[in-house]
Amino acid sequence: MNKIWLVAKETYRREVKTWSYLLMILAPFLLVFFSFVIGMVSAGSSDDNYVGVVTSNSVLKQAIKKSEDFDNYSTEAKAKKAYKDEDIDGYVLIEQKNNQLAATYYSDQKMDSDLKSELLTSLNTAQQQLNLSKAKLTTKQTQSLATRAQFKQQVKHVEKKSFDNDPVKQISFWVLLIILYMLVITYTQVTAQDIATEKGTKIMEVIFSSMPGGDYFTGKILGIFGEIITQVLIYVVGFVAVYCAAPYIDGFSDLFRQYKPMIDQAIGNLASWGLVFTIIGLVLFIIFAAFCGALVAKSENANKAVGPLSTLMLIGFLFTVNMQSGGDTILAKVLSYTPFLSSFVMPARVIMGNATNLEAAISALIALAATVASFIWIRKIYPNLILQTDDVGPWQNFKRSLRG
């Protein structure tokens, strides 16, 4: 057992010290960091500028005073000076003629649609006050004009949200799919390349003389899986740090509080069956990636050898993407119980509400049984595969290993 852990430790240490692994880990953090910096710069630049408003209407002045996007100016001359000094993006001159408000915007570009909508709302409110004042209505008449229609609902059955109009389910669906796809495509290539490179050296004969080849295979799988756990844990810690810090970051706190229930629900979707199938699927793909790497005699042929696994992964990815429009077909149900593909299809069916927890448990057990059986079988023939160094092709190497 000590030798197994020694192999696992050496495999893990050799891979995590490479620049490629470090860059792979840092890439998402760098993307988030630059997006955050760009967002803060954009937010900062937009927050520094306002639109000036010149008006003598008391109702408008009070509305502008409460706004974060507009500033009151007592005279047009002061507003012009502020615009010339680039303290504001432009200014609005509001004049009152014959109990009618008229607003004119002065700038070198059109007013933002949201700002325009906010200004028009305030203008219409002030205009309504002028109209009521001109009409000289009594208090009772004014209250009658403010009367609104009533609307009631009597709902006997509330239909649950479907996948198409539930953003939480769609976010969970895409995050799960992308995570699984990226991990599988990365580590199948890494595993196959690592095994094929070792096979091309004479050191394997020396190693197998001091420990069983099956134990060495077990150590390799544990070491590679340790790399995956390290990467995932780093991402989890990074996400938790951002999750905890977001409520205290200016410019993001309000947005975070608004979408926090959706984020929490999406995390719950990912941490349930999605996590189980991701782990089982990764182990299964890695075991067969090691098998494919052991089939070739040269490390440069490792990518070709892992081609069938890449094809399976692509089929699972594309089929799951098409499930959004194709629905829960018979083929989707069959593939959700098929090892390799079930890691993509079944979690998506659960998120979409097309599969129960019992169905997911049965599928997970089938995938787990296939993983264990594959591990035992490949562990048994692995030494013969590694020691076949003649370049006779993957199929011939496979047949030789079966003959022992």
Side-chain angles (χ1 to χ4, degrees):
M1 193 65 185
N2 289 336
K3 292 183 179 180
I4 292 177
W5 288 115
L6 185 63
V7 173
K9 180 181 177 181
E10 180 61 25
T11 302
Y12 173 83
R13 186 184 63 82
R14 186 174 63 246
E15 291 296 332
V16 297
K17 289 175 65 176
T18 60
W19 280 106
S20 59
Y21 186 82
L22 182 61
L23 290 174
M24 180 175 65
I25 295 292
L26 292 179
F29 291 103
L30 292 175
L31 179 63
V32 172
F33 174 75
F34 286 119
S35 300
F36 174 77
V37 171
I38 293 172
M40 290 296 290
V41 171
S42 300
S45 62
S46 61
D47 288 340
D48 288 341
N49 295 324
Y50 303 92
V51 172
V53 177
V54 182
T55 181
S56 58
N57 185 281
S58 58
V59 176
L60 273 174
K61 281 186 176 181
Q62 288 298 319
I64 296 303
K65 194 174 182 180
K66 296 177 182 179
S67 174
E68 297 181 354
D69 303 309
F70 296 92
D71 263 350
N72 278 312
Y73 284 86
S74 56
T75 63
E76 185 179 2
K78 291 182 178 180
K80 279 184 177 180
K81 185 178 185 304
Y83 175 60
K84 186 177 180 181
D85 295 339
E86 298 185 352
D87 293 332
I88 55 177
D89 291 333
Y91 67 92
V92 180
L93 179 61
I94 301 175
E95 299 176 302
Q96 182 177 329
K97 297 178 181 178
N98 299 324
N99 282 332
Q100 184 177 18
L101 295 174
T104 306
Y105 179 59
Y106 297 92
S107 179
D108 58 354
Q109 57 185 355
K110 289 185 177 181
M111 182 183 289
D112 180 79
S113 58
D114 291 336
L115 295 181
K116 182 180 178 182
S117 177
E118 182 182 349
L119 179 64
L120 287 175
T121 300
S122 300
L123 275 172
N124 289 331
T125 301
Q127 185 64 60
Q128 184 69 18
Q129 293 287 339
L130 290 175
N131 294 341
L132 291 174
S133 176
K134 183 179 179 181
K136 297 180 181 180
L137 300 177
T138 63
T139 304
K140 189 174 182 180
Q141 289 172 326
T142 303
Q143 291 175 348
S144 298
L145 288 176
T147 304
R148 298 189 178 189
Q150 292 184 346
F151 176 75
K152 295 181 179 180
Q153 293 189 84
Q154 292 184 355
V155 181
K156 294 182 179 180
H157 173 69
V158 179
E159 187 177 355
K160 295 176 70 175
K161 284 186 177 180
S162 65
F163 177 78
D164 291 335
N165 58 18
D166 191 338
V168 176
K169 289 185 176 181
Q170 292 191 0
I171 291 171
S172 305
F173 175 88
W174 282 108
V175 170
L176 173 68
L177 195 59
I178 292 172
I179 288 175
L180 182 58
Y181 178 82
M182 294 305 298
L183 289 176
V184 169
I185 197 173
T186 299
Y187 284 100
T188 51
Q189 297 286 345
V190 169
T191 303
Q193 189 68 43
D194 187 25
I195 299 295
T197 301
E198 284 190 346
K199 182 176 179 178
T201 64
K202 296 295 183 180
I203 192 68
M204 299 309 300
E205 296 179 6
V206 178
I207 293 175
F208 286 177
S209 65
S210 61
M211 68 179 297
D215 289 351
Y216 184 83
F217 173 74
T218 303
K220 292 293 293 184
I221 296 300
L222 288 175
I224 294 169
F225 199 64
E227 300 170 33
I228 300 174
I229 293 175
T230 300
Q231 181 179 358
V232 173
L233 283 178
I234 291 173
Y235 289 162
V236 169
V237 170
F239 175 79
V240 171
V242 173
Y243 184 88
C244 295
Y248 307 100
I249 300 175
D250 292 338
F252 286 89
S253 55
D254 293 338
L255 190 65
F256 176 79
R257 291 190 184 95
Q258 180 182 354
Y259 291 103
K260 186 177 182 298
M262 294 176 57
I263 296 172
D264 292 343
Q265 189 177 343
I267 293 172
N269 290 337
L270 295 175
S272 54
W273 286 113
L275 180 61
V276 173
F277 278 96
T278 298
I279 293 173
I280 296 175
L282 268 174
V283 175
L284 185 58
F285 271 99
I286 288 172
I287 289 172
F288 274 90
F291 170 72
C292 292
L295 286 175
V296 296
K298 298 178 180 178
S299 60
E300 54 265 29
N301 294 330
N303 290 337
K304 294 180 181 178
V306 85
L309 285 180
S310 301
T311 302
L312 269 176
M313 175 196 58
L314 193 60
I315 290 172
F317 179 81
L318 294 178
F319 183 84
T320 307
V321 170
N322 291 327
M323 280 174 58
Q324 288 192 96
S325 57
D328 194 33
T329 61
I330 296 295
L331 182 58
K333 294 177 181 178
V334 172
L335 294 183
S336 65
Y337 294 97
T338 306
F340 291 105
L341 300 178
S342 62
S343 297
F344 290 92
V345 180
M346 180 55 81
R349 289 188 64 216
V350 173
I351 291 175
M352 296 170 71
N354 296 329
T356 63
N357 287 328
L358 178 61
E359 292 174 316
I362 294 172
S363 176
L365 288 175
I366 294 173
L368 182 60
T371 301
V372 173
S374 300
F375 176 78
I376 294 172
W377 174 62
I378 294 176
R379 185 180 187 274
K380 182 179 180 180
I381 66 173
Y382 182 78
N384 293 331
L385 284 172
I386 288 293
L387 296 176
Q388 294 290 340
T389 57
D390 297 336
D391 192 8
V392 293
W395 179 244
Q396 290 298 326
N397 279 335
F398 176 59
K399 289 197 296 183
R400 285 184 182 182
S401 68
L402 293 178
R403 290 196 296 266

